[in-house]
C-alpha cells in the first residue's frame, strides 16, 4: 500500500506543480510517446531475459504493491509454529516429525499456519532441512553449509527480476530521448506551417523526454528498489528458519531453539523474551537447555 501511495505522491507533486505554473494538462497526454517508450522498454526486457524471469518479475511487482508479508505478526506465528513442531517431535519422536515433514499440508502443526504453507520457498527450505537431519548420517555443520548454499542460490534467483526491472528503468531516459528525437524529426517536416502546429509538435517531443525520466526515477526505479527490499525481508526470514533448525539439530530444547531463532529476527520485528515465552506456552521459564541429540537428529 505504501508503494501505491508513494507513486501517487510522485505524480501528484509533478502534475500539481505543473498546473500551478498554469500548464495545460492535456499537453502531457501523448499516447504516441508512451507507445514508443513503453514498447521499446518492453522489448529490451524481453530481449535480455528468459520467460521465467519475466514471469517472476511480474509477480514480484504485484507483490510490492500488496506489501511485504514478513511483519511482526508473521514472525510471531512462525515462532509459535516452530515451537509446536519441535515440542511435538520431542514428545512423539522423529517418526511423527518425519511424517509431518513429508506431508506438511496434512500436518496437524502446519495446518494451523496457512501463511507459512503458502510460502512455498520457505516451506521447502525448512522441511527439506529438517528431513535431512531426521534421516541421520549428516553432521550439523554439513547441514548448515547445505542451508547456506540453498539460501545463496535462492537469493541469486530472486535478484534476477530486480536486475531486469532496474535495467528497464535505466533505459527509460534514453528511450525518452529517442521519442523526443522522433518528435523533432516530425517537427522539422512541419516547418513552414502554422506556428501553433509547430509548437504542439515541439511540446509533444519534449514530453517524450519528460516521461522517460519521470517513469525511470519516479515509478520503475523505486519499484525495483522495493522488490530488492522484499527480497531482503525474505532472506532475513530464511536466516530465522536456519537458526531455529540448527539449534534443534544440535540438541537444544524447543524453547531454547526458538530463542536462538528469535535472536535472528530483525530488531524492529523481534518479540521480547517474555512475549516469545507467552506466545509459545503462556509463561514459565526457558528451562531445558539441551535434549538428547538422538531426539533432535
Amino acid at each position: 500500500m505504501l508503494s501505491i501511495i508513494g507513486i501517487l505522491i510522485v505524480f501528484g507533486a509533478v502534475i500539481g506543480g505543473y498546473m500551478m505554473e498554469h500548464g495545460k494538462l492535456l499537453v502531457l497526454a501523448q499516447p504516441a510517446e508512451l507507445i514508443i517508450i513503453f514498447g521499446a522498454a518492453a522489448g529490451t526486457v524481453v530481449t535480455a531475459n528468459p520467460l521465467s524471469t519475466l514471469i517472476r518479475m511480474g509477480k514480484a511487482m504485484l507483490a510490492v504493491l500488496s506489501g511485504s508479508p514478513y511483519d511482526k505478526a508473521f514472525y510471531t506465528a512462525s515462532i509459535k509454529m516452530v515451537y509446536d513442531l519441535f515440542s511435538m517431535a520431542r514428545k512423539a519422536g522423529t517418526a511423527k516429525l518425519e511424517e509431518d515433514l513429508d506431508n506438511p499440508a496434512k500436518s496437524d502443526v502446519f495446518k494451523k499456519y496457512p501463511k507459512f504453507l503458502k510460502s512455498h520457498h520457505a516451506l521447502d527450505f525448512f522441511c527439506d532441512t529438517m528431513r535431512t537431519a531426521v534421516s541421520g548420517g549428516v553432521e550439523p555443520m554439513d547441514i548448515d553449509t547445505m542451508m547456506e548454499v540453498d539460501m545463496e542460490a535462492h537469493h541469486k534467483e530472486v535478484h534476477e527480476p530486480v536486475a531486469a526491472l532496474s535495467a528497464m528503468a535505466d533505459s527509460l531516459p534514453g528511450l525518452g530521448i529517442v521519442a523526443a528525437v522522433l518528435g523533432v524529426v516530425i517537427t522539422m517536416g512541419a516547418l513552414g506551417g502554422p506556428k501553433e502546429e509547430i509548437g504542439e509538435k515541439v511540446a509533444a517531443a519534449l514530453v517524450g523526454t519528460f516521461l522517460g525520466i519521470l517513469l525511470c526515477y519516479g515509478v520503475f526505479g523505486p519499484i525495483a528498489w522495493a522488490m530488492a527490499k522484499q527480497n531482503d525481508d525474505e532472506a532475513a526470514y530464511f536466516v530465522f528458519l536456519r537458526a531455529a533448525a540448527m539449534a534443534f539439530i544440535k540438541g537444544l530444547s524447543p524453547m531454547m531453539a526458538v530463542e536462538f531463532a528469535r535472536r535472528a529476527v530483525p530488531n524492529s520485528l523481534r518479540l521480547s523474551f517474555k512475549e516469545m515465552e507467552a506466545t509459545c506456552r503462556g509463561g514459565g521459564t526457558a528451562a531445558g537447555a539441551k535434549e538428547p541429540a538422538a531426539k533432535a537428529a
Side-chain angles (χ1 to χ4, degrees):
M1 201 62 192
L2 282 178
S3 297
I4 297 176
I5 294 173
I7 292 173
L8 291 176
I9 291 174
V10 169
F11 278 96
V14 172
I15 294 174
Y18 175 73
M19 295 185 70
M20 287 174 64
E21 294 293 333
H22 308 292
K24 295 181 180 180
L25 194 58
L26 290 179
V27 175
L28 300 180
Q30 301 292 337
E33 303 290 321
L34 284 174
I35 290 174
I36 293 172
I37 295 170
F38 272 118
T44 61
V45 174
V46 171
T47 301
N49 299 279
L51 180 60
S52 59
T53 300
L54 298 177
I55 294 173
R56 284 186 281 118
M57 184 179 74
K59 291 180 177 179
M61 291 175 68
L62 292 176
V64 165
L65 299 180
S66 62
S68 175
Y70 302 102
D71 52 15
K72 189 170 183 177
F74 189 74
Y75 272 105
T76 301
S78 297
I79 283 175
K80 184 68 168 67
M81 178 200 70
V82 169
Y83 178 77
D84 289 348
L85 184 70
F86 291 168
S87 296
M88 179 274 296
R90 192 177 191 188
K91 294 174 182 177
T94 55
K96 174 60 177 172
L97 175 60
E98 190 170 10
E99 181 182 331
D100 283 24
L101 296 172
D102 288 337
N103 297 287
K106 298 180 180 179
S107 167
D108 293 335
V109 174
F110 288 124
K111 282 193 298 186
K112 294 186 293 184
Y113 306 96
K115 287 187 178 181
F116 181 74
L117 286 176
K118 292 179 182 178
S119 303
H120 300 295
H121 293 299
L123 177 67
D124 291 342
F125 174 78
F126 184 70
C127 289
D128 289 349
T129 298
M130 295 302 299
R131 190 182 296 110
T132 302
V134 169
S135 66
V138 184
E139 293 295 327
M141 289 300 297
D142 293 332
I143 294 176
D144 191 45
T145 301
M146 192 183 304
M147 284 191 286
E148 183 177 358
V149 170
D150 193 339
M151 291 168 64
E152 289 178 355
H154 181 63
H155 179 74
K156 180 180 178 180
E157 183 181 39
V158 298
H159 180 70
E160 291 173 356
V162 177
L165 187 61
S166 296
M168 189 193 83
D170 291 341
S171 72
L172 287 172
L175 295 174
I177 294 174
V178 170
V181 170
L182 292 176
V184 171
V185 171
I186 295 173
T187 302
M188 297 299 291
L191 290 178
K195 294 181 179 180
E196 294 79 6
E197 181 181 350
I198 295 175
E200 290 179 359
K201 294 184 183 299
V202 171
L206 293 176
V207 166
T209 302
F210 158 74
L211 289 176
I213 296 173
L214 175 64
L215 292 174
C216 171
Y217 296 107
V219 179
F220 292 103
I223 290 177
W225 301 334
M227 286 166 55
K229 179 62 174 63
Q230 282 206 353
N231 290 342
D232 291 340
D233 292 343
E234 184 184 42
Y237 185 67
F238 273 55
V239 172
F240 162 82
L241 294 176
R242 178 184 180 181
M246 281 307 303
F248 188 69
I249 289 168
K250 289 180 178 180
L252 296 181
S253 70
M255 183 57 73
M256 290 307 299
V258 169
E259 169 60 8
F260 267 83
R262 184 186 73 87
R263 298 295 181 94
V265 178
N267 286 328
S268 60
L269 304 175
R270 184 185 300 174
L271 277 69
S272 68
F273 184 84
K274 290 184 178 180
E275 288 175 330
M276 177 202 72
E277 203 170 41
T279 297
C280 292
R281 59 186 185 188
T285 59
K290 278 211 172 189
E291 64 178 83
K295 290 185 179 181

